[in-house]
């Protein structure tokens, strides 16, 4: 069974530029999450999708971050404009439904200079 | 708001030892708790999922216990090996209404197994 796929693996941008990350969850998984992991910290939830609808974006900095999940499958997370403090690993995870195991992708490491 | 604490923050032991990693959480109204390992520069690998109705879950040399009422979980690693070196993260899952059920993470325990 293929895992959660993310791209790119690494990205370096200058502050005030924009960047986008892509995630392809495990086939059939209705729930998709984006997490931000700053160095030395545990992952922090940014947004949760159920199929193609947002169910939790309470911790998403909406002035600069946006995310979408078209057709309830792939998802993209965008940052515009980026700040230095956005340097982190962005992780995508999916699960079939509530109470089941969540699976994570390899993450995208973003460096903002 | 759920808060997760993991003790110790770091641990270094010789190969072959049995060890226990501790996780505590502030809100006991959880559905399940998942343990992960994270290797440097990698994503999270799921180790065990323990449901709120369960007391223990085992996978190979790993055993996770859950005491939901006291807000505690432990991960027991038997006969540790150098390949077990990684950061271990626990994450309780809560249902917050409206379908929101994201995992909450602590900072993890950084484990080094000395050959």
């Amino acid at each position: 069974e293929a895992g959660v796929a993310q791209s790119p693996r690494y990205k370096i941008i200058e502050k005030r530029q924009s960047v986008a990350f892509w995630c392809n969850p495990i086939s059939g998984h209705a729930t998709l999450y984006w997490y931000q992991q700053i160095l030395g910290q545990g992952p922090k939830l940014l947004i949760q999708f159920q199929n193609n609808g947002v169910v939790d974006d309470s911790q998403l900095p909406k002035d600069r971050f946006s995310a979408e999940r078209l057709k309830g499958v792939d998802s993209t997370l965008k940052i515009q404009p980026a700040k230095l403090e956005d340097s982190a690993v962005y992780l995508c995870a999916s699960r079939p439904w509530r109470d089941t195991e969540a699976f994570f992708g390899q993450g995208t490491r973003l460096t903002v200079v | 708001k759920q808060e997760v604490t993991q003790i110790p923050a770091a641990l270094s032991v010789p190969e072959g030892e049995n060890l226990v990693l501790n996780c505590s959480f502030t809100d006991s109204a959880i559905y399940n708790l998942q343990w992960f390992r994270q290797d440097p520069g990698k994503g999270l690998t799921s180790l065990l999922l323990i449901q709120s109705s369960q007391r223990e879950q085992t996978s190979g040399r790993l055993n996770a216990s859950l005491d939901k009422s006291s807000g505690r979980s432990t991960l027991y690693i038997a006969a540790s090996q150098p390949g077990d070196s990684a950061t271990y993260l626990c994450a309780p899952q809560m249902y917050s209404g409206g379908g929101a059920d994201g995992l909450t993470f602590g900072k993890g325990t950084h484990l080094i197994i000395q050959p």
Side-chain angles (χ1 to χ4, degrees), chain A residues 9-10 31 33 35 37 40-45 48 50 54-56 59 89 91 95 97-107 109, chain B residues 1 31-32 34 36 38 40-49 51 89 93 95-108:
Chain A
R9 286 296 315 277
Y10 306 93
T31 306
Y33 310 89
Y35 285 83
Q37 186 176 26
Q41 304 290 319
K44 183 186 86 171
L45 179 67
Q48 176 187 347
Q50 187 69 23
V54 175
V55 295
D56 187 1
Q59 300 189 87
V89 176
L91 296 161
R95 70 164 93 231
W97 55 82
R98 200 174 77 208
D99 282 357
T100 58
E101 200 171 1
F103 295 91
F104 281 74
Q106 291 294 296
R109 180 176 297 279
Chain B
K1 178 187 172 185
Y31 277 85
N32 59 53
Q34 201 165 349
F36 297 88
Q38 186 172 32
K42 303 288 188 180
L44 278 63
T45 300
S46 178
L47 297 173
L48 288 164
L49 172 72
Q51 299 289 351
L89 295 150
Q93 182 193 12
Y95 181 54
S96 304
D101 64 1
L103 299 170
T104 302
F105 288 87
K107 293 183 179 181

Side-chain angles (χ1 to χ4, degrees), chain B residues 31-115:
Chain B
Y31 277 85
N32 59 53
L33 185 143
Q34 201 165 349
W35 280 93
F36 297 88
R37 69 173 281 168
Q38 186 172 32
D39 295 283
K42 303 288 188 180
L44 278 63
T45 300
S46 178
L47 297 173
L48 288 164
L49 172 72
I50 182 165
Q51 299 289 351
S52 60
S53 58
Q54 296 178 308
R55 298 284 295 182
E56 287 189 3
Q57 189 69 255
T58 298
S59 176
R61 294 182 294 107
L62 305 179
N63 176 276
S65 67
L66 176 64
D67 185 342
K68 181 181 160 182
S69 61
S70 68
R72 295 177 188 275
S73 178
T74 61
L75 180 67
Y76 176 83
I77 303 177
S80 58
Q81 304 170 358
D84 296 330
S85 298
T87 296
Y88 290 79
L89 295 150
C90 73
Q93 182 193 12
M94 294 182 64
Y95 181 54
S96 304
D101 64 1
L103 299 170
T104 302
F105 288 87
K107 293 183 179 181
T109 293
H110 182 56
L111 176 65
I112 297 175
I113 308 297
Q114 306 154 12

Side-chain angles (χ1 to χ4, degrees), chain A residues 2-15:
Chain A
V4 177
Q6 290 188 247
S7 67
R9 286 296 315 277
Y10 306 93
K11 190 74 176 179
I12 301 175
I13 62 172
E14 295 183 350
K15 59 183 179 183

Side-chain angles (χ1 to χ4, degrees), chain A residues 44-95:
Chain A
K44 183 186 86 171
L45 179 67
L46 292 175
I47 189 167
Q48 176 187 347
F49 291 93
Q50 187 69 23
N51 296 307
N52 61 348
V54 175
V55 295
D56 187 1
D57 62 358
S58 57
Q59 300 189 87
L60 187 74
K62 299 180 186 63
D63 58 335
R64 297 182 301 107
F65 286 65
S66 65
E68 61 180 5
R69 188 182 185 196
L70 298 176
K71 300 181 181 178
V73 183
D74 293 7
S75 178
T76 56
L77 176 69
K78 297 179 181 177
I79 307 175
Q80 182 179 13
K83 293 184 175 182
L84 296 177
E85 58 260 37
D86 297 332
S87 294
V89 176
Y90 291 85
L91 296 161
C92 179
S94 70
R95 70 164 93 231

Side-chain angles (χ1 to χ4, degrees), chain B residues 9-22:
Chain B
L11 183 63
S12 180
V13 300
E15 180 179 5
E17 285 200 3
N18 303 323
L19 50 97
V20 175
L21 308 182
N22 297 292

